[in-house]
């Protein structure tokens, strides 16, 4: 027969309590680290504008809300894009940050190009660098038109 004294009872109690606490923290942490987060979220396309309302050659800044994944965190953010309908009818959506240091740029109707007021970079209607310290063209969102609505997807980083 096993004799239980007070010391062994306290040791077993501490071990048991530690096991319960460890399981209470460990099981949810294990589930969080090894779950497939991307399977839960939609494909990532967001309606931003009525495609027929965009005039050709005149950039428009559109504001919209979208869900973005940052690591394991899902963020519901308000963001913008500069939308341009080209002469061919194709629509491009430019990301709102300058490729030099990420400053917000704007359209200058007088000069007919995008201007970054912080470091004097300028970009053409297609997002290509015209002047300034910006190292590459403006980044673009993936775009598509579905049922007359312009949708944007992920930002595509420009290549020089």
């Amino acid at each position: 027969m096993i004799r239980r004294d007070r010391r062994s009872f306290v040791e077993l109690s501490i071990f048991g309590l530690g096991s319960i606490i460890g399981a209470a923290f460990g099981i949810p942490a294990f589930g969080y680290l090894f779950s497939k987060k991307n399977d839960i979220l939609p494909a990532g396309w967001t309606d931003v504008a009525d495609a027929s309302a965009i005039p050709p050659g005149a950039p428009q800044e559109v504001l919209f809300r979208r869900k973005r994944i940052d690591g394991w965190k899902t963020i519901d953010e308000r963001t913008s894009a500069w939308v341009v309908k080209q002469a061919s009818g194709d629509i491009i959506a430019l990301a709102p940050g300058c490729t030099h240091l990420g400053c917000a740029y704007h359209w200058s109707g007088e000069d007919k190009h995008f201007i970054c007021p912080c470091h004097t970079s300028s970009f053409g209607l297609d997002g290509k660098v015209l002047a300034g310290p910006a190292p590459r063209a403006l980044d673009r969102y993936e775009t598509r038109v579905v049922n007359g609505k312009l949708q944007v997807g992920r930002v595509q980083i420009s290549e020089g």
Side-chain angles (χ1 to χ4, degrees):
M1 192 178 252
I2 300 175
R3 184 171 165 244
R4 303 271 180 189
D5 57 357
R6 191 178 313 170
R7 182 182 300 260
S8 62
F9 174 75
V10 171
E11 287 175 353
L12 284 173
S13 297
I14 291 172
F15 179 73
L17 219 72
S19 298
I20 291 170
I21 291 171
F25 284 109
I27 292 171
F30 183 80
Y32 175 77
L33 290 174
F34 295 105
S35 68
K36 291 185 179 182
K37 186 76 168 170
N38 292 337
D39 292 346
I40 299 169
L41 295 174
W45 291 96
T46 305
D47 289 347
V48 296
D50 183 7
S52 62
I54 301 169
Q60 292 183 344
E61 185 175 24
V62 293
L63 301 174
F64 59 96
R65 295 193 75 77
R66 71 175 181 160
K67 290 188 187 230
R68 181 174 59 89
I69 301 172
D70 187 9
W72 287 92
K73 186 176 181 182
T74 302
I75 301 168
D76 185 23
E77 68 180 357
R78 184 173 177 229
T79 189
S80 66
W82 282 94
V83 177
V84 181
K85 185 182 276 187
Q86 298 175 325
S88 65
D90 294 336
I91 300 174
I92 62 171
L94 301 169
C98 175
T99 54
H100 177 233
L101 292 176
C103 304
Y105 58 86
H106 65 275
W107 174 252
S108 172
E110 293 175 6
D111 300 325
K112 302 283 188 214
H113 57 263
F114 293 104
I115 298 173
C116 177
C118 301
H119 304 100
T120 67
S121 291
S122 61
F123 304 90
L125 197 58
D126 58 356
K128 292 184 180 170
V129 178
L130 299 176
R136 55 189 171 79
L138 295 171
D139 299 328
R140 294 182 180 194
Y141 287 99
E142 295 175 324
T143 58
R144 69 181 185 186
V145 177
V146 176
N147 297 327
K149 295 283 186 185
L150 174 64
Q151 295 182 338
V152 296
R154 294 187 214 165
V155 173
Q156 300 294 313
I157 306 299
S158 65
E159 299 179 15

